[in-house]
Amino acid sequence: MTTASRLRAFGTTIFTEMSALAARSGAINLGQGFPDTDGPPEIVTAVESALRNGGANQYAPLAGVRDLCVAIADHQRRRYGLEVDPQDGVQVTFGATEAIAAAMLGLLEPDDEVVVLEPFYDSYPATIAMAGATRRVVTLRPPDFALDLDALAAAAPGARMLVLNSPHNPTGRVLTRAELEGIARVCVDNELIAVTDEVYEHLVFDGEHVPLATLPGMTERTLTISSAGKSFSFTGWKIGWCSGPPQLVGAVRSAKQFLSFSGGTPFQHAVAAALVDAERHVAPLRATLQAGRDQLCAGLRAAGFGVCVPQGGYFVNADIAPLGAADAREWCRALPERAGVVAIPTSAFYDDAEAGRTLVRFAFCKRPSVIEEAVARLLASSRRVA
Ligand code: PMP
Ligand code: GLN
């Protein structure tokens, strides 16, 4: 065993495992969350121009290409009324994933404690462990995944950081303003740093996205993370960023400079142009995704699943208990052969094995014909079993 002990427990990510299974079996992949349609062609053209016009094929500045940093600061002001400094208050990263890792490595001391809500995006526990810190977990339970504010308040004393994700992966929950106000009070009362993962900020179908940083007392203690991958359907470009007060962004930068320094320069130029016009690009995507959500939810219901309807993001969670199944991981491993579909066991995102034991996550960021075929296969398979 040569992997360092702090990483050994994490193994291979569930996304890698399930996408490999999809590739091997030829099943429809509703597991890993990536769109099967590219984003707007004009954003692709902007990359081509940046590649060919000279000056964009070498290292970007550490903070990021200036136009992108300015576009991020403008976006935060325009959309949310948040003032961030485009130089010291913005850091471009290799996807939101690097921003998350650099936040943990740059902000946490060994043995610090970090409050996270489960089910959690898998990189949070892994990067908390890489920083030598430990997690305190507050559990969200189906079918509505409501936040128990008392449990959060009980977990907070003595912790250093809260990691929050809304719209939430894997549940699709969009936290309400009232919930966020309660969370803000816990952060202020316990002097927590808040790291908020808002990669699905533009993909809200019901309710509204409220950045935690906009609430009283939070601007100065919140690091806000986002990414172009989800907003513009270019998950492979890995252009992410964080923004917030210079002392928090500076800590991220300290770590980031030694992780990858800087990169993706032509993509950064294109994302800068896209962000200036974010709403125009994102509105059709949001409408398409909402239709995909409704199509998949209806199909899953018809196939006999319990369905937890998401308010935002890429994913719907389905309960397999009504189908007579008891273990999501086993069920997902057998699904390609049984039905020709790949999905992710939501239990992979819980420490509490019981809490998510019968939940399965399906992605709906796929073409309507693909969702239709997947649903037909699931229906046929549930009829065979019944
Ligand atoms: N956070 C969440 C909640 C995600 O779902 C994802 C993956 N899509 C990421 C972070 C990583 O984003 P990126 O691909 O920009 O690294
Ligand atoms: N965010 C994507 C998901 O939740 C996967 C990203 C990854 O493979 N790490 O499916």
Side-chain angles (χ1 to χ4, degrees):
M1 185 71 81
T2 50
T3 303
S5 57
R6 63 189 176 280
L7 278 173
R8 230 171 268 160
F10 297 98
T12 300
T13 82
I14 192 73
F15 306 117
T16 305
E17 179 187 339
M18 290 298 166
S19 279
L21 189 55
R24 266 202 317 276
S25 63
I28 297 178
N29 190 356
L30 300 190
Q32 195 177 26
F34 59 90
D36 60 358
T37 309
D38 281 347
E42 68 188 87
I43 307 180
V44 175
T45 306
V47 177
E48 286 169 354
S49 311
L51 281 167
R52 287 177 207 288
N53 292 350
N57 290 307
Q58 310 304 333
Y59 296 128
L62 171 59
V65 162
R66 175 76 189 164
D67 284 356
L68 179 53
C69 294
V70 169
I72 292 164
D74 285 351
H75 174 272
Q76 295 305 92
R77 183 185 318 106
R78 198 172 68 234
R79 205 169 158 85
Y80 306 122
L82 283 168
E83 292 295 335
V84 292
D85 183 277
Q87 172 62 35
D88 297 331
V90 174
Q91 175 63 51
V92 177
T93 53
F94 191 73
T97 304
E98 190 188 45
I100 293 162
M104 303 307 173
L105 294 170
L107 287 164
L108 295 174
E109 299 293 342
D111 300 325
D112 272 348
E113 297 199 71
V114 180
V115 179
V116 286
L117 310 185
E118 70 173 355
F120 32 59
Y121 185 57
D122 66 345
S123 83
Y124 309 157
T127 53
I128 289 167
M130 283 190 220
T134 53
R135 59 186 183 272
R136 292 183 186 175
V137 178
V138 176
T139 304
L140 306 177
R141 294 174 196 282
D144 55 358
F145 302 105
L147 173 63
D148 178 347
L149 265 178
D150 292 336
L152 183 71
R160 174 147 167 81
M161 179 190 283
L162 167 73
V163 180
L164 198 70
N165 170 216
S166 180
H168 184 257
N169 179 6
T171 68
R173 271 280 349 251
V174 175
L175 291 168
T176 63
R177 185 177 286 276
E179 282 174 312
L180 288 159
E181 283 167 355
I183 295 167
R185 271 194 301 278
V186 170
C187 290
V188 171
D189 289 351
N190 293 281
E191 299 184 7
L192 301 185
I193 296 170
V195 172
T196 66
D197 178 343
E198 304 184 16
V199 297
Y200 300 101
E201 61 181 315
H202 289 281
L203 308 181
V204 174
F205 319 124
D206 306 318
E208 58 166 339
H209 175 63
V210 179
L212 189 64
T214 60
L215 297 181
M218 292 310 293
T219 309
E220 57 272 34
R221 61 176 68 254
T222 304
L223 182 80
T224 303
I225 294 175
S226 195
S227 167
K230 304 296 152 61
S231 297
F232 304 118
S233 296
F234 293 114
T235 60
W237 291 6
K238 280 286 182 178
I239 301 298
W241 54 84
C242 59
S243 61
Q247 71 275 19
L248 296 184
V249 172
V252 172
R253 190 168 293 170
S254 297
K256 194 272 192 286
Q257 66 186 337
F258 298 121
L259 292 173
S260 58
F261 185 67
S262 74
T265 312
F267 298 112
Q268 290 198 34
H269 283 284
V271 170
L275 254 192
V276 168
D277 225 356
E279 190 50 36
R280 180 169 67 84
H281 292 304
V282 148
L285 170 65
R286 188 168 43 234
T288 305
L289 280 170
Q290 184 163 348
R293 170 196 70 168
D294 294 343
Q295 185 189 1
L296 184 56
C297 287
L300 290 171
R301 254 187 234 109
F305 294 84
V307 175
C308 314
V309 178
Q311 295 128 34
Y314 274 2
F315 310 108
V316 55
N317 277 269
D319 191 350
I320 56 173
L323 304 179
D327 185 279
R329 206 178 267 265
E330 255 173 47
W331 190 87
C332 286
R333 288 198 172 123
L335 190 63
E337 193 170 328
R338 203 175 55 245
V341 175
V342 163
I344 301 269
T346 306
S347 47
F349 308 120
Y350 276 101
D351 279 347
D352 177 350
E354 280 315 308
R357 184 165 307 277
T358 61
L359 286 180
V360 172
R361 193 194 81 170
F362 292 91
F364 52 81
C365 46
K366 308 292 173 183
R367 281 166 289 147
S369 58
V370 173
I371 296 176
E372 190 183 330
E373 175 60 24
V375 164
R377 292 180 185 193
L378 291 167
L379 262 171
S381 149
S382 65
R383 285 199 186 113
R384 273 197 306 277
V385 171

